[in-house]
């Protein structure tokens, strides 16, 4: 169905493609923000996430949606950088996932209606947590692709030198 505006809930229920913008948040030391979703959320309550984000509104770019979600969920105003998009078939329904990266302050004001807990993990700590804690389906796929993207970028930069 094209050209019709529907809610994310309806798109998920019907299995229609929709767009979601997420951001991997790093601090100045390179640690990654991980959070546990509130138990009151309708999708994946109490599960951990490596990314912060949500649905892209009609007429909104991935970058605009990612910035809006960071402000809503963490109380920070930054412009995340879109790294890549992919068709994600994990989770409740298929969706286009726009993966961003942003360097954010150590201190965030997480919305308690969305975020029950948050903390900063190094990449090795996060790799262990992904095996031990319960994460959303998007987190596993997005983080795996994020690491592959970063590796490819560093190889490309190294080849140019």
């Amino acid at each position: 169905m094209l050209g019709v505006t529907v809610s994310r809930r309806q798109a998920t229920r019907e299995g229609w493609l929709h767009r979601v913008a997420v951001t991997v948040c790093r601090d100045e030391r390179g640690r990654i923000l991980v959070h546990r979703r509130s138990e009151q959320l309708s999708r994946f309550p109490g599960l951990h996430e490596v990314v912060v984000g949500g649905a892209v509104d009609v007429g909104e770019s991935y970058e605009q949606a990612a910035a809006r979600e960071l402000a809503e969920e963490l109380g920070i105003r930054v412009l995340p950088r879109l790294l890549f998009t992919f068709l994600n078939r994990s989770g409740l329904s298929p969706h286009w996932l726009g993966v961003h990266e942003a360097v954010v302050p150590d201190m965030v004001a997480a919305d308690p209606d969305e975020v029950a807990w948050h903390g900063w993990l190094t990449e090795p700590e996060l790799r262990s947590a992904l095996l031990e804690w319960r994460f959303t389906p998007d987190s596993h796929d997005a983080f795996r692709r994020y690491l592959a993207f970063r590796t490819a970028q560093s190889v490309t930069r190294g080849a140019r030198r």
Side-chain angles (χ1 to χ4, degrees):
M1 179 177 277
L2 294 174
V4 176
T5 303
V6 298
S7 68
R8 181 177 183 188
R9 176 170 287 150
Q10 183 179 359
T12 300
R13 184 177 60 242
E14 299 294 336
W16 296 331
L17 279 175
H18 54 285
R19 297 182 305 147
V20 175
V22 298
T23 303
V24 175
C25 297
R26 289 185 168 272
D27 68 3
E28 292 289 338
R29 292 185 275 177
R31 297 178 303 170
I32 298 168
L33 181 72
V34 175
H35 70 279
R36 185 169 39 82
R37 296 170 60 83
S38 167
E39 294 291 341
Q40 286 70 38
L41 294 174
S42 62
R43 290 179 300 281
F44 306 113
L47 269 60
H48 290 84
E49 285 195 292
V50 177
V51 293
V52 175
V56 179
D57 290 338
V58 173
E60 194 175 40
S61 70
Y62 281 108
E63 294 91 342
Q64 290 167 330
R68 176 180 47 77
E69 289 289 339
L70 288 171
E72 290 173 4
E73 294 185 24
L74 301 180
I76 56 175
R77 303 237 179 255
V78 297
L79 186 58
R81 181 173 64 103
L82 178 63
L83 303 179
F84 58 90
T85 61
F86 70 98
L87 180 57
N88 187 358
R89 296 191 182 277
S90 65
L92 300 175
S93 69
H95 53 277
W96 285 103
L97 194 63
V99 178
H100 301 73
E101 181 179 54
V103 176
V104 302
D106 285 358
M107 298 299 292
V108 297
D111 178 353
D113 291 335
E114 301 261 353
V115 178
W117 168 89
H118 69 278
W120 295 94
L121 301 180
T122 64
E123 282 188 27
E125 290 169 336
L126 180 51
R127 287 176 196 267
S128 294
L130 283 163
L131 298 173
E132 298 170 15
W133 303 351
R134 292 181 53 226
F135 279 83
T136 62
D138 283 0
S139 286
H140 289 280
D141 205 13
F143 189 63
R144 180 179 52 79
R145 290 173 186 257
Y146 170 76
L147 290 177
F149 178 87
R150 285 181 47 120
T151 299
Q153 291 297 301
S154 63
V155 168
T156 302
R157 279 193 296 273
R160 285 190 222 147
R161 291 183 182 154

